[in-house]
Structure formats: C-alpha cells, structure tokens
Amino acid sequence: MAPRARRRHPLPALLLLCALLARLQVALPIAPPCTSERHYERLGRCCSKCEPGKYMSSKCTTNSDSICLPCGPDEYLDTWNEEDKCLLHKVCDSGKALVAVDIGNSTAPRRCTCMVGYHWSQDCECCRRNTECAPGLGAQHPLQLNKDTVCKPCLAGYFSDTFSSADKCRPWTNCTILGKKVERHGTEKSDVICSSSLPSRKPPNEAQVFLPGLIILLLFTSVALVAAIIFGVYYRKKGKALTANLWHWINEACGRLSGDKET
Ligand SMILES: *[C@@H]1O[C@H](CO)[C@@H](O)[C@H](O)[C@H]1NC(C)=O
Ligand SMILES: *[C@@H]1O[C@H](CO)[C@@H](O)[C@H](O)[C@H]1NC(C)=O
C-alpha cells in the first residue's frame, strides 16, 4: 500500500520542499546582520552600531544609518556600541600608589597598577605596601610586580639583618678570601665577623693613613726653604732698605692704631 501511495503523489512533496528551501534562502541574507554584535534593529530595519573609539551621535532612521562620532580626548569606548557618549578614562592616582601600566587610547581603557613596592589588595580595593621581611628572612626573587613579598628564611651561609620588602638574604663574608680568620660565626640574622687583619697587611694600611700627612709636611718644608732662599738673596741686596721700610711701616701702623684708640 505505501509504495503505491509514493508513486502516485511525488509532485506535492517536491513542491513543498522547494517552497521550504525558497523561504530559507530569502530569510538567510536578512537574519545574520542583526544577530551580529555590529548591528542593531530599529524601526523594522537593521542598522550599524558604532565601532570602538566612536559613540552614536544619532540613531538610524527609516532612510539613514546611525551617525557615529569619535570620542573626545581622555575618553574611550572599547566595544561596538549604541552609547550616546564615550566613557572617561580613569585616573591613576599616585596619592593612592597607583601608576598607569597602559595609558589607554580612544579604543582601550587606561589600566592602572600599584607602584613598585605596593600590591593590589582585594580587601581594601586599594594598593597596600608590600610586607617587609624581618631579620633572618629574605624576600624571594624575582620580585613579582603588584604582588606582596614572599619572605623565606635565610639558608645556612646567608643572613639578613634588616627589615626589607626587596632584599634577599646575603652570603656571609668569607674571611679566608680576605686573609683573615673567623672571630664570630654568622647566624641567619648576622654576618660572620672576621678577626682583625693579619700583621703582614698592617704596614701598607698605616702607610696609607700617614702618606697624606707626610706629603703636606714635605710641601711646607720646601715652601719654607724656597722662601728663606729668596728672602736671603733679597736681604743681601736691599737688606737695609727693606728693614727700614718694614720698621717704618710697623711704626706707622702702631701709631694709627693708638691714634684711633685715643679719638
Ligand atoms: C589602543 O590601545 C590598544 C591596546 O593597547 C591597541 O591594541 C590599539 O592598537 C590602540 N589603538 C590606537 C588607535 O592607538
Ligand atoms: C671561601 O672562599 C674559598 C675560596 O673561594 C672557598 O674555598 C671556601 O670554601 C670559602 N669559605 C667559606 C666559609 O665560604
């Protein structure tokens, strides 16, 4: 019975299929634009949204598309939009330890981050100063930007004697290399203390201290010597005249001084 029925009515079924396909073909070109994020529906038609960096000055009408205008300075829009104005860039307030990590532009918002030495805290929604590691602890490196300090105990042979949010544990001083002996062993909080220098290293050190003094002394002596020679030569030539002049000058000066006192 069924095969007979198919043979008898193939045309209506085909017609139905064709009609369905035709409807689909007509519907397909219209449907996608308005479902895309770059279009919107208004007054029964599909209109363009504004591209990032522009806002919608006027919506579309029955016979014209939307009017988009660029964002002003210090403004942005980072999506395809129907906004009637752009968004204002935020301020990275240095007073709140914020600094711009990306200055932003008309299509991308400015991004702020905490300054070096600070990290973002969800609790206060603000930048907090990084934790300082106590003596005996050192900051784990590499330091993570915008992350709180991770403090680690100093390993054997290393120490930290300060509170610091950035300093690593430092290695103990190697007294052997300095040609000295260990006077006090190091701890995680203090450096090794080396004994005072060995005798063989002392003389050069003393020479270094006394050398400038010696040079000054030599300089003085030579200046005095030269002055004495010059004076000697001069005195031999015009000795008497000079002494007379000198005495005259001294007398005059004294006389003026005593005169000043009397008046
Ligand atoms: C805006 O900044 C974004 C992100 O930094 C960048 O990809 C884009 O090219 C910039 N656009 C312009 C117009 O400078
Ligand atoms: C000091 O340095 C020398 C030579 O580099 C090395 O052999 C020695 O192990 C070091 N000593 C310490 C305590 O680190």
Side-chain angles (χ1 to χ4, degrees):
M1 247 166 82
R4 252 167 86 196
R6 253 186 220 162
R7 250 178 244 149
R8 246 186 227 174
H9 312 286
L11 213 64
L14 263 172
L15 279 172
L16 196 73
L17 195 69
C18 280
L20 262 170
L21 279 172
R23 277 189 71 145
L24 266 172
Q25 259 179 337
V26 169
L28 275 171
I30 293 170
C34 261
T35 56
S36 106
E37 56 177 0
R38 298 187 178 189
H39 294 87
Y40 65 104
E41 216 176 303
R42 187 175 143 89
L43 306 170
R45 56 177 296 217
C46 224
C47 304
S48 311
K49 286 189 181 178
C50 292
E51 61 182 321
K54 291 181 175 175
Y55 70 97
M56 199 168 289
S57 157
S58 310
K59 299 248 181 206
C60 63
T61 63
T62 43
N63 47 22
S64 72
D65 203 358
S66 333
I67 297 174
C68 302
L69 291 178
C71 292
D74 212 36
E75 289 180 341
Y76 76 98
L77 274 174
D78 54 353
T79 54
W80 283 83
N81 68 87
E82 296 171 59
E83 305 295 333
D84 60 356
K85 56 177 180 288
C86 298
L87 297 168
L88 205 63
H89 277 298
K90 59 180 156 191
V91 175
C92 300
D93 186 354
S94 61
K96 290 175 180 165
L98 284 165
V99 68
V101 67
D102 177 2
I103 199 85
N105 55 35
S106 63
T107 62
R110 179 172 301 153
R111 291 189 299 127
C112 305
T113 190
C114 297
M115 286 177 183
V116 171
Y118 291 78
H119 64 277
W120 186 254
S121 163
Q122 297 292 348
D123 305 341
C124 65
E125 295 267 303
C126 70
C127 296
R128 280 233 168 95
R129 196 185 287 274
N130 289 347
T131 305
E132 291 191 325
C133 304
L137 303 173
Q140 182 178 277
H141 280 234
L143 295 171
Q144 303 281 306
L145 221 59
N146 207 17
K147 292 264 170 66
D148 196 8
T149 323
V150 178
C151 298
K152 291 257 170 139
C154 296
L155 300 172
Y158 291 82
F159 77 103
S160 166
D161 55 1
T162 54
F163 284 89
S164 169
S165 59
D167 292 350
K168 290 195 275 191
C169 296
R170 289 179 287 145
W172 289 336
T173 302
N174 186 326
C175 297
T176 319
I177 288 176
L178 298 175
K180 297 178 182 180
K181 285 184 174 172
V182 173
E183 191 164 296
R184 217 175 70 195
H185 287 288
T187 69
E188 76 273 17
K189 293 182 191 174
S190 66
D191 195 5
V192 168
I193 295 176
C194 303
S195 64
S196 48
S197 333
L198 297 175
S200 64
R201 287 180 66 96
K202 259 188 177 176
N205 282 352
E206 274 174 8
Q208 270 175 1
V209 172
F210 287 113
L211 211 60
L214 202 68
I215 288 167
I216 289 166
L217 197 72
L218 271 171
L219 217 66
F220 255 103
T221 320
S222 40
V223 165
L225 211 66
V226 168
I229 290 166
I230 289 169
F231 188 76
V233 170
Y234 193 77
Y235 187 78
R236 213 176 274 169
K237 278 187 184 168
K238 299 186 178 178
K240 278 168 192 169
L242 186 75
T243 26
N245 278 342
L246 207 64
W247 272 118
H248 178 74
W249 183 81
I250 288 166
N251 278 335
E252 210 170 65
C254 287
R256 207 176 291 157
L257 266 175
S258 52
D260 281 354
K261 268 178 194 169
E262 274 161 24
T263 53

